[in-house]
Amino acid sequence: MKILLLDKNHPLITEQLLAQNFILEEDFTSSYDEVCQKIKNYDGIIIRSRIPLDKSFLEQGKNLKFIARVGAGMENIDIPAAEELGIQLINSPEGNRDSVAEHVVGMLLVIMNRLFIASQEVKNGIWKREENRGDELLGKTVGLIGYGNMGKATAKRLSGFGCKVIFHDILPGLSDEFATQVTLDELKQSAEVLSLHIPLTSETHYLVDKTFISEMKNDFYFVNTARGKNVETKSLVEALKMGKVKGVCLDVLEYEKSSFENIEIENEDLKYLLESEKAIVTPHIAGWTHQSKEKLAQFIVDKIVASHC
């Protein structure tokens, strides 16, 4: 089988697939149109996020048997078109679930205990204790939306902090030793911390908007390591200013480029987040550890080999 690699990934993908007698070609620079012209020559594609694989693209891949996305999200692929054309879709959410979970916990500890603020103050010769009094995770009710690989890994860690973890998911019967499944209304009534672990779909676009926030009974901390467009930033900023949202931890932004490589739009809401002591913003790196880079690649290789050798 001949496979086209469109993004740079861990070298183990190339090493192990070559050892299994796959034919590999790397192309990290060609444009969408250039790749479209030659995609018919390949049996498989391995991608991250550089090029969108829409229906037009897929229809030109007349010999495509699979698309492997090194990561979890599949929103840059026209999934219905791929399924209609009989193209297998492979991803590897197992590879970065642990790094995402640790990032969630890390951001919460930083924001709730004012660690970054207090550290910067001391480095600047300012010694404030009462003003930097923290807020404990112990005893908090944490609500997760989405209970796949990322949600489960996050629940496991937060349960160890003595949190009561509840979650809402569109699939039934997912409760386990770390978290209890509830309706969305029940989650809104109880959660003191809210964390998103969902894909970006037409149903989850702007899931957290003004109405959603107003329906949360408690003032709450908010974490998003899923997709930026799951959240209506304007409404989140308003709630942060009002105190309804006590602090925000954002690894993803509504204003990111589709490739996740940089900010696409700058406005007053983004400016407020970047300047606020109540906000932590990181550059889409929750799943971006040294260990996850290798694990993401290994899961992809294992799945390709299992299906096509």
Side-chain angles (χ1 to χ4, degrees), residues 32-90:
Y32 169 92
D33 290 334
E34 289 169 335
V35 177
C36 277
Q37 290 173 12
K38 65 177 183 178
I39 195 58
K40 63 181 180 295
N41 300 320
Y42 300 93
D43 301 291
I45 312 174
I46 299 177
I47 63 165
R48 282 211 319 257
S49 305
R50 187 171 70 85
I51 290 180
L53 307 189
D54 57 18
K55 186 174 183 179
S56 175
F57 181 101
L58 297 177
E59 286 176 342
Q60 295 181 65
K62 299 186 184 300
N63 294 307
L64 282 178
K65 296 173 181 63
F66 73 85
I67 297 167
R69 201 279 178 170
V70 184
M74 306 284 274
E75 69 272 8
N76 60 329
I77 303 169
D78 188 328
I79 294 175
E83 291 174 344
E84 183 181 330
L85 294 165
I87 301 171
Q88 180 190 15
L89 298 178
I90 300 170

Side-chain angles (χ1 to χ4, degrees), residues 25-293:
E25 180 178 319
E26 296 178 345
D27 186 344
F28 305 147
T29 58
S30 290
S31 67
Y32 169 92
D33 290 334
E34 289 169 335
V35 177
C36 277
Q37 290 173 12
K38 65 177 183 178
I39 195 58
K40 63 181 180 295
N41 300 320
Y42 300 93
D43 301 291
I45 312 174
I46 299 177
I47 63 165
R48 282 211 319 257
S49 305
R50 187 171 70 85
I51 290 180
L53 307 189
D54 57 18
K55 186 174 183 179
S56 175
F57 181 101
L58 297 177
E59 286 176 342
Q60 295 181 65
K62 299 186 184 300
N63 294 307
L64 282 178
K65 296 173 181 63
F66 73 85
I67 297 167
R69 201 279 178 170
V70 184
M74 306 284 274
E75 69 272 8
N76 60 329
I77 303 169
D78 188 328
I79 294 175
E83 291 174 344
E84 183 181 330
L85 294 165
I87 301 171
Q88 180 190 15
L89 298 178
I90 300 170
N91 65 343
S92 53
E94 308 92 340
N96 61 354
R97 60 190 171 192
D98 297 313
S99 59
V100 168
E102 291 188 13
H103 200 89
V104 170
V105 174
M107 289 197 295
L108 281 171
L109 292 174
V110 168
I111 198 80
M112 294 173 70
N113 292 283
R114 296 175 60 85
L115 298 181
F116 183 75
I117 297 165
S119 176
Q120 288 299 112
E121 286 177 350
V122 173
K123 288 179 178 181
N124 289 317
I126 301 167
W127 189 272
K128 294 181 179 179
R129 297 186 67 219
E130 185 60 36
E131 295 87 344
N132 286 311
R133 193 179 286 273
D135 192 7
E136 294 180 7
L137 268 171
L138 177 67
K140 294 282 194 299
T141 297
V142 179
L144 310 177
I145 300 184
Y147 206 62
N149 282 280
M150 313 303 174
K152 290 176 183 177
T154 301
K156 181 178 181 179
R157 284 153 179 81
L158 288 172
S159 65
F161 279 84
C163 297
K164 177 183 178 182
V165 186
I166 59 177
F167 69 89
H168 173 70
D169 195 283
I170 58 174
L171 298 177
L174 299 179
S175 293
D176 58 23
E177 61 186 300
F178 304 115
T180 302
Q181 190 161 7
V182 298
T183 67
L184 189 56
D185 286 339
E186 289 173 318
L187 185 145
K188 290 176 180 176
Q189 285 296 306
S190 302
E192 299 163 279
V193 178
L194 176 66
S195 184
L196 300 187
H197 301 277
I198 49 178
L200 180 62
T201 67
S202 56
E203 288 77 22
T204 64
H205 185 270
Y206 282 176
L207 174 68
V208 177
D209 58 8
K210 186 174 184 178
T211 300
F212 185 105
I213 293 169
S214 70
E215 291 171 349
M216 292 287 288
K217 180 181 178 181
N218 302 310
D219 296 346
F220 64 99
Y221 295 95
F222 178 70
V223 186
N224 189 12
T225 54
R227 289 293 183 260
K229 289 183 172 61
N230 292 141
V231 182
E232 187 180 50
T233 308
K234 183 177 181 61
S235 297
L236 183 65
V237 168
E238 288 175 0
L240 193 61
K241 290 177 179 178
M242 293 168 53
K244 178 67 179 178
V245 173
K246 299 166 74 172
V248 298
C249 305
L250 303 175
D251 182 55
V252 291
L253 291 165
E254 178 184 351
Y255 313 121
E256 284 179 75
K257 290 184 176 181
S258 59
S259 63
F260 311 139
E261 292 301 320
N262 214 322
I263 299 293
E264 190 169 43
I265 299 169
E266 295 186 20
N267 57 28
E268 288 303 309
D269 292 324
L270 177 61
K271 185 173 184 289
Y272 181 85
L273 288 172
L274 298 182
E275 294 177 354
S276 175
E277 287 190 346
K278 297 180 181 179
I280 294 175
V281 184
T282 52
H284 206 127
I285 56 169
W288 209 250
T289 61
H290 297 291
Q291 292 80 9
S292 71
K293 183 177 182 180

